[in-house]
Amino acid sequence: MKWMGLNELRELYLKFFESKEHLCIKSFPLVPRNDNSLLLINAGMAPLKPYFTGQEEPPKRRMADCQKCIRTGDIENVGKTARHGTFFEMLGNWSFGDYFKEEAIKWAWEFCIDVLKLPEERLFVSVYEEDDEAEMIWHEKIGLPMEKIFRMGKEDNFWEAGIDGPCGPCSEIYFDRGEEYGCGKPDCTVGCDCDRYMEFWNLVFTQFERHEDGTYTPLEQKNIDTGMGLERLAAMMQDVKSIFDVDTIKAIRDHVCQIADCQYGESDKKDISIRVITDHIRSVTFMASDGILPSNEGRGYVMRRLLRRAVRHGKLLGINGLFLKDIVKTVVDNSKGEYTELEEKYDYIVKLLTTEEENFNKTIDRGMKILDDYIDQMQKNGENVLDGEACFKLSDTYGFPIDLTREILEEKGLSVDEEAFEKAMNEQREKARVARGGSKYMGADETVFHKIDRDFHTEFVGYETLECDCEISFIATEDELVENAGCGEGEFYIVSSKTPFYAESGGQVGDIGEITTASGKCVVLDTQKVVAGKVAHKIKVVEGGISVGQQAHFAVDKKNRKAVMRNHSCAHLLQSALREVLGEHVHQAGQLVDANRLRFDFSHFNAMTPEELIRVEMLVNKYIFEALDVTVKEMPIDEAKKLGAMALFGEKYGDTVRVVTMGDEEPASIEFCGGTHVDNTSKIALFKIVNESSVASGVRRIEAVTGTGVMNMLKEHIDMTRKAAEVLKLGNPAELVKRCIALMGEIKLLEKERDSLQTEISNMKTQAIFDSAVDINGVKVVTAMLTNIRPDMLRKMGDEIKAKQDDFVAVIAGVNGEKANLLAVAGKNAVAKGAHAGKIAGKVAALTGGKGGGRPDSAMAGVGDKFKIDEALDKVTEIVAEFIK
């Protein structure tokens, strides 16, 4: 059997199925599109769900690819065994109503025998126990002996995604790796749990529709869905024990060992850490290349967890300092041939992962301090199990991994309340699941537009014109297709075969405007892409009524479209300016452009300085004033990349792309874009940044205006300045700053005078309080209620009482408007005799419906009902007496 590298195997597979007239496509990004059921792509067929469900027409009935995937259901076991991993590549070939079982089986066998040159005697297959057809093909068409064909039950050889939807039997191909991988049992064969018979290719025959009542009916269109793990195939072809020994992954593993100055295979404990780092650095590198950012929720949380787990295991190996950035290079070098985005985004990936690693190093220090406090408290209380809520707080709030908490506790003979921790984790997962929303079969949300023939498409003509005539093909409510819509009947949707209305996409909002027929007039409120190339116009009938089949005039609101175009074109210039000023790590992380302003999210790891904002603003306006021509061309994607065109993170493009260029010889901007734009930058007129802020870790947001938006903002600022000058009785608004500086000086002098007077008043009130003291076993107790006193003044009085008297307990209520607070203080001798200001304050506040507490010598509490203060103060001497020895 010939040794073959992982990258070679991928290429051989795709070339083979290309020879069988399959369209071989590039991998989809790891971020699912329009699929609420998944956080991350976890199988080769996952991005193709719209083709299986009929939401979209596939570009070809035969397709194949190598899809990057991440599965995170068993993260805790990654590293503990050589089997588990999170990132993997899945080879797959599909038929959408084209070929079926015979071809799928025949080509799989041909690839195994003729391309991989696998010894036929070491190959076995399994089929579903009721699938006579598959068994017949394997035996009669392929010539496999019956003793090498195993019938298995539904659990092993029948694929279905839920209680309803397409499903079907499957056939799996196994490879006998030899006795050295077996369990040694005499009955060891296909289906045994040991590693000898490796299942490496699954052929799914989607031929039934499952119904909620548990019955099955044949599908009109039968599909083929196959999957073969590339890493598993490589391990088999290279005759190595696990995926961590495969050439491309071993290169990463060896780099980890080099940095840690250790050898793989010498220590089980170290091997666990080496495998964790090797696997997780692959995952986070690919996730970063698809625009995923570490965060505390969703796929960002998965990324953060993987990255932090890798860092933690680096520390266990004794690696000091930042090390992930070094290994990223090895990941990229071994996969950049197929996944060009890794090399294109290399600097950004390194910056992102390094920043997160730095942040986690700080987190570990903070988490250790908190955990040490927990441990001290446990030991004082004689406890040996850390509360699950505390573990969850360490993990969720401070990012301190549960396995690290568990390990540290075990070293001290302590443990974790696993059940309570899991309960808290499950509650969080449930919240995340609810937040993602429900979904139908294979994650496809059913809408009214699924009732329209999937072959019906809407042609967009809005690049060339803002008006056109077309028949109304469909009218819909949220729930059903209807024939008519009338004035005053609410909102509807119109779907037509042609439209000049731009449907929301790429951050550009949908067009608004009017649709008119001979019998009615509609206002278009929004335009959206719905399903399988259809565009829905959200409308409200304002005159008469409309019907399906009527000819209609579609007219986009020109003023609104032009304003949106100005902002969209300026967003391109803004990205270019940001990269010029901040660096090439800047990439778009999201945008929203409408008629009023543009909002641009971008990858950057610090707040922008005022100087940087000014430079960006000046540079964008420079591009505008240079009156650069804006050209739009469709071209092959490889040609566009050679020109340096910027692509959106995590976006999958076809072979032909639309490229928007601003400028000629040295363009200010070149981007892939399907949106609408001005034809010259001068039409943007002006650009002004309104705000810069943080959106998430590593993502900043700029909000800005252009054209008339700048003029409106200037008018608002001028009016505000004029009004401020009038209030300050200034004849000339230009003197406003000078007058404000003078006023601030005057205010500071008045504040000093006020504080001085308040101190005198406080001293007088404090002395008066002492005169009304009651003695309880040698401790003097005083109470008072003061009005128009702020909390800070109340604390100051308390400090003075403690400083002057050692044998005093004072409880003072301070009322300031509608708010009231209680202060309790106890001198050191009073504390020695048992007084506790925190507990006293809590008990007195409770009598008013409030709560609070604090230290033994000083505490503040909130008052519930201020009309109960007198009643509560009357009880102070009784409450203090409970504490005095």
Side-chain angles (χ1 to χ4, degrees):
M1 209 166 73
K2 182 185 174 186
W3 187 98
M4 294 183 184
L6 182 141
N7 291 321
E8 179 186 5
L9 286 166
R10 186 196 302 111
E11 186 178 357
L12 285 171
Y13 180 88
L14 295 175
K15 281 185 176 178
F16 175 81
F17 279 99
E18 198 168 42
S19 74
K20 304 301 181 187
E21 300 180 357
H22 285 63
L23 172 64
C24 291
I25 59 172
K26 289 287 187 182
S27 171
F28 287 82
L30 286 165
V31 179
R33 294 188 299 173
N34 303 318
D35 187 348
N36 291 331
S37 68
L38 294 176
L39 278 180
L40 294 157
I41 295 299
N42 63 358
M45 58 75 65
L48 304 171
K49 289 177 183 179
Y51 305 149
F52 282 104
T53 60
Q55 291 181 64
E56 296 180 20
E57 181 72 20
K60 195 171 180 180
R61 293 289 177 178
R62 297 179 181 185
M63 293 176 66
D65 78 351
C66 183
Q67 175 63 46
K68 49 193 176 184
C69 305
I70 287 182
R71 288 182 185 168
T72 58
D74 212 6
I75 290 178
E76 297 297 338
N77 280 321
V78 174
K80 293 179 181 177
T81 73
R83 286 184 177 186
H84 291 87
T86 56
F87 179 84
F88 63 98
E89 298 179 59
M90 182 66 78
L91 299 166
N93 58 283
W94 300 277
S95 164
F96 305 105
D98 189 76
Y99 62 85
F100 199 49
K101 283 185 191 178
E102 185 169 341
E103 294 90 341
I105 291 173
K106 177 185 171 185
W107 291 335
W109 188 253
E110 183 182 340
F111 182 73
C112 289
I113 301 299
D114 296 347
V115 180
L116 298 180
K117 309 290 186 187
L118 294 174
E120 187 172 335
E121 65 274 11
R122 296 174 70 177
L123 291 173
F124 300 80
V125 301
S126 66
V127 297
Y128 177 48
E129 59 189 0
E130 297 179 15
D131 193 352
D132 297 335
E133 183 185 8
E135 183 185 77
M136 180 273 294
I137 294 169
W138 279 114
H139 180 57
E140 297 182 13
K141 303 286 185 178
I142 303 299
L144 208 61
M146 289 299 292
E147 62 267 21
K148 301 192 81 175
I149 303 171
F150 293 77
R151 285 184 179 247
M152 294 187 177
K154 202 169 186 179
E155 185 177 332
D156 295 302
N157 278 70
F158 196 93
W159 183 89
E160 51 192 349
I163 61 170
D164 63 348
C167 59
C170 62
S171 180
E172 298 179 329
I173 306 176
Y174 293 79
F175 181 75
D176 180 2
R177 306 195 74 195
E179 291 183 8
E180 64 270 28
Y181 289 95
C183 56
K185 296 176 182 176
D187 60 346
C188 179
T189 187
V190 170
C192 184
D193 289 334
C194 70
D195 292 337
R196 176 171 178 174
Y197 295 92
M198 176 189 282
E199 178 269 308
F200 67 96
W201 203 344
N202 188 11
L203 316 176
V204 179
F205 314 125
T206 313
Q207 64 188 88
F208 298 114
E209 177 86 21
R210 177 184 165 123
H211 305 285
E212 290 190 17
D213 62 3
T215 60
Y216 298 84
T217 54
L219 277 174
E220 184 177 334
Q221 174 185 296
K222 297 176 181 178
N223 304 316
I224 289 293
D225 165 19
T226 83
M228 177 162 55
L230 179 57
E231 291 85 352
R232 180 177 286 198
L233 176 64
M236 189 176 88
M237 296 302 298
Q238 296 173 20
D239 194 23
V240 293
K241 291 183 178 179
S242 79
I243 62 170
F244 293 96
D245 301 304
V246 168
D247 59 333
T248 56
I249 304 173
K250 181 177 178 295
I252 303 167
R253 188 197 81 189
D254 289 346
H255 195 167
V256 175
C257 290
Q258 178 191 337
I259 293 173
D261 192 23
C262 63
Q263 290 292 320
Y264 186 69
E266 288 187 348
S267 160
D268 289 342
K269 188 173 182 180
K270 287 186 176 181
D271 285 353
I272 289 172
S273 294
I274 293 166
R275 287 193 289 263
V276 167
I277 298 169
T278 301
D279 172 79
H280 289 5
I281 192 63
R282 288 181 82 213
S283 293
V284 297
T285 298
F286 275 90
M287 292 172 85
S289 75
D290 279 341
I292 299 171
L293 291 159
S295 69
N296 287 330
E297 58 186 16
R299 61 185 65 93
Y301 179 72
V302 173
M303 183 181 188
R304 174 163 283 169
R305 189 178 174 199
L306 292 172
L307 191 146
R308 291 182 167 187
R309 205 163 177 260
V311 173
R312 179 238 163 180
H313 278 275
K315 289 186 178 296
L316 292 179
L317 288 175
I319 301 174
N320 295 315
L322 305 174
F323 70 95
L324 293 184
K325 64 182 186 300
D326 300 321
I327 311 174
V328 168
K329 182 73 165 61
T330 304
V331 177
V332 172
D333 286 346
N334 280 278
S335 298
K336 65 185 180 184
E338 178 67 16
Y339 304 106
T340 55
E341 63 271 18
L342 292 173
E343 190 166 39
E344 292 165 5
K345 306 291 190 295
Y346 175 74
D347 291 338
Y348 166 78
I349 295 168
V350 168
K351 177 70 174 173
L352 174 66
L353 300 189
T354 300
T355 300
E356 183 68 11
E357 188 178 2
E358 288 174 335
N359 291 341
F360 184 48
N361 284 336
K362 296 173 187 173
T363 295
I364 284 183
D365 294 338
R366 188 166 64 248
M368 280 300 304
K369 184 178 184 306
I370 294 165
L371 182 55
D372 285 343
D373 291 341
Y374 284 149
I375 291 171
D376 288 344
Q377 194 62 46
M378 289 168 66
Q379 290 172 337
K380 284 179 184 176
N381 297 338
E383 300 168 348
N384 55 17
V385 179
L386 181 59
D387 174 64
E389 286 290 337
C391 295
F392 178 73
K393 186 176 181 180
L394 272 168
S395 171
D396 188 57
T397 305
Y398 300 104
F400 204 70
I402 181 61
D403 48 351
L404 181 55
T405 300
R406 190 184 294 118
E407 187 167 316
I408 292 168
L409 289 172
E410 286 173 357
E411 289 171 0
K412 298 181 181 294
L414 307 172
S415 62
V416 167
D417 185 342
E418 301 280 358
E419 187 177 337
F421 174 76
E422 279 303 317
K423 182 182 177 184
M425 282 297 294
N426 288 333
E427 287 173 359
Q428 185 198 57
R429 291 189 191 109
E430 179 62 18
K431 287 177 184 176
R433 186 194 66 75
V434 171
R436 287 203 303 274
S439 59
K440 297 287 185 181
Y441 164 68
M442 297 172 81
D445 288 338
E446 287 288 339
T447 68
V448 66
F449 305 107
H450 286 79
K451 298 176 182 178
I452 301 173
D453 186 340
R454 76 173 184 180
D455 294 328
F456 180 91
H457 304 299
T458 304
E459 178 191 0
F460 176 61
V461 297
Y463 292 135
E464 300 82 23
T465 180
L466 296 183
E467 297 186 31
C468 79
D469 294 315
C470 186
E471 180 183 292
I472 295 176
S473 302
F474 301 93
I475 300 174
T477 64
E478 291 286 348
D479 306 310
E480 60 181 341
L481 297 175
V482 295
E483 291 295 316
N484 307 288
C487 184
E489 294 178 1
E491 295 176 350
F492 294 86
Y493 297 92
I494 288 176
V495 179
S496 57
S497 61
K498 185 169 65 175
T499 183
F501 284 76
Y502 182 85
E504 182 174 346
S505 180
Q508 178 177 331
V509 297
D511 278 333
I512 59 174
E514 293 181 350
I515 298 175
T516 55
T517 70
S519 61
K521 178 179 177 181
C522 312
V523 173
V524 178
L525 307 171
D526 190 15
T527 310
Q528 293 286 327
K529 292 180 180 179
V530 282
V531 60
K534 301 170 183 61
V535 170
H537 309 81
K538 187 176 184 179
I539 61 104
K540 195 171 186 178
V541 182
V542 292
E543 292 179 17
I546 59 170
S547 302
V548 171
Q550 276 190 307
Q551 282 293 316
H553 184 69
F554 291 68
V556 175
D557 184 319
K558 294 179 182 178
K559 183 179 178 183
N560 186 80
R561 166 75 85 83
K562 286 181 178 180
V564 172
M565 287 162 58
R566 284 195 295 270
N567 284 331
H568 194 172
S569 296
C570 204
H572 283 223
L573 296 177
L574 174 58
Q575 176 166 228
S576 180
L578 286 166
R579 286 170 65 83
E580 176 74 24
V581 172
L582 302 178
E584 294 193 359
H585 64 277
V586 168
H587 289 276
Q588 179 181 324
Q591 72 170 4
L592 178 65
V593 290
D594 59 22
N596 299 314
R597 64 174 55 195
L598 69 92
R599 190 183 77 197
F600 188 82
D601 296 347
F602 58 98
S603 52
H604 188 54
F605 304 93
N606 302 296
M608 289 180 67
T609 65
E611 293 76 19
E612 288 170 339
L613 288 168
I614 290 170
R615 284 178 63 198
V616 167
E617 194 171 84
M618 294 293 286
L619 189 51
V620 172
N621 281 306
K622 174 178 174 285
Y623 296 146
I624 293 170
F625 300 153
E626 285 175 348
L628 305 173
D629 286 331
V630 178
T631 57
V632 179
K633 291 182 181 177
E634 288 193 352
M635 62 182 72
I637 189 168
D638 291 337
E639 183 183 331
K641 287 182 176 179
K642 286 177 184 175
L643 290 174
M646 290 281 293
L648 279 179
F649 250 145
E651 188 66 38
K652 182 173 173 60
Y653 296 93
D655 293 333
T656 302
V657 293
R658 188 170 183 265
V659 178
V660 177
T661 305
M662 300 182 180
D664 299 321
E665 293 182 5
E666 293 185 9
S669 169
I670 311 179
E671 286 191 38
F672 294 15
C673 184
T676 61
H677 292 274
V678 298
D679 56 15
N680 189 283
T681 59
S682 63
K683 292 185 178 179
I684 299 170
L686 287 168
F687 169 76
K688 179 66 182 172
I689 294 174
V690 176
N691 187 46
E692 191 268 353
S693 60
S694 172
V695 178
S697 177
V699 181
R700 307 295 300 177
R701 171 174 292 172
I702 280 181
E703 295 173 88
V705 289
T706 65
T708 53
V710 179
M711 300 303 294
N712 292 336
M713 192 180 78
L714 285 172
K715 183 179 181 302
E716 288 176 11
H717 284 202
I718 291 168
D719 289 346
M720 196 186 308
T721 303
R722 186 179 294 115
K723 287 177 182 176
E726 287 174 4
V727 170
L728 295 174
K729 295 182 170 52
L730 293 174
N732 184 0
E735 297 176 2
L736 190 60
V737 173
K738 184 179 177 182
R739 179 59 181 144
C740 286
I741 291 170
L743 277 174
M744 288 305 297
E746 293 173 20
I747 289 169
K748 284 181 180 178
L749 285 173
L750 289 171
E751 285 176 343
K752 282 184 180 180
E753 291 179 14
R754 180 203 64 192
D755 291 344
S756 177
L757 286 170
Q758 285 179 340
T759 299
E760 289 182 28
I761 294 168
S762 176
N763 289 337
M764 291 169 62
K765 289 181 176 179
T766 301
Q767 187 56 50
I769 288 170
F770 287 140
D771 294 339
S772 59
V774 176
D775 189 280
I776 298 178
N777 296 331
V779 172
K780 294 178 181 177
V781 180
V782 294
T783 61
M785 182 169 70
L786 307 174
T787 57
N788 298 322
I789 186 166
R790 302 191 312 273
D792 60 322
M793 291 175 62
L794 206 55
R795 290 191 189 93
K796 193 170 183 180
M797 289 180 68
D799 291 341
E800 290 173 5
I801 291 172
K802 283 193 299 177
K804 292 179 179 178
Q805 302 288 337
D806 291 335
D807 298 313
F808 258 79
V809 172
V811 178
I812 305 169
V815 181
N816 190 28
E818 294 300 314
K819 294 183 178 180
N821 293 283
L822 278 170
L823 168 77
V825 291
K828 60 182 180 180
N829 290 346
V831 172
K833 290 183 178 181
H836 192 292
K839 295 177 180 178
I840 293 169
K843 286 197 168 194
V844 176
L847 296 174
T848 70
K851 58 183 179 179
R855 302 190 312 270
D857 64 332
S858 181
M860 289 282 283
V863 170
D865 183 352
K866 66 179 183 180
F867 295 106
K868 293 183 179 180
I869 291 175
D870 286 334
E871 181 183 337
L873 292 178
D874 287 342
K875 300 287 185 180
V876 168
T877 52
E878 293 178 26
I879 292 170
V880 173
E882 296 174 16
F883 293 91
I884 302 302
K885 297 173 184 174

